[in-house]
Amino acid sequence: MRKEITIDGMKCEGCSNAVKQRFLGVEGVNDVVVNLEAKSALIEGNSATDENELRESLSDTNYSVVGIKEMDA
């Protein structure tokens, strides 16, 4: 499973590292590549990865998930 997640609120490398660590803490996520310039993250994981958990992982931060798009494998 691959998802592209659009993220609001990232402004620096520290922001992108914080977002990456939050997403890596979600059950089923195996890898995260954050693109600060595009304000997005590419998530790779298993089919059990819950989109609500991805959104919730940023709920107590200054970042928010704007959109989630399924990617072809």
Side-chain angles (χ1 to χ4, degrees):
M1 173 278 320
R2 291 175 54 182
K3 297 179 188 286
E4 182 179 34
I5 300 177
T6 307
I7 304 156
D8 187 39
M10 291 192 305
K11 295 178 172 83
C12 66
E13 193 67 32
C15 296
S16 61
N17 287 333
V19 166
K20 179 177 181 172
Q21 291 308 310
R22 291 295 184 119
F23 285 150
L24 284 172
V26 173
E27 185 174 345
V29 173
N30 300 325
D31 191 31
V32 178
V33 177
V34 177
N35 183 328
L36 179 60
E37 199 170 296
K39 302 206 182 303
S40 67
L42 182 62
I43 306 287
E44 295 204 26
N46 63 42
S47 59
T49 304
D50 184 3
E51 288 186 9
N52 288 329
E53 287 184 38
L54 291 169
R55 290 178 190 279
E56 184 66 26
S57 70
L58 299 181
S59 67
D60 62 344
T61 68
N62 292 326
Y63 321 113
S64 60
V65 172
V66 177
I68 299 177
K69 177 179 160 187
E70 291 283 337
M71 305 294 290
D72 294 329

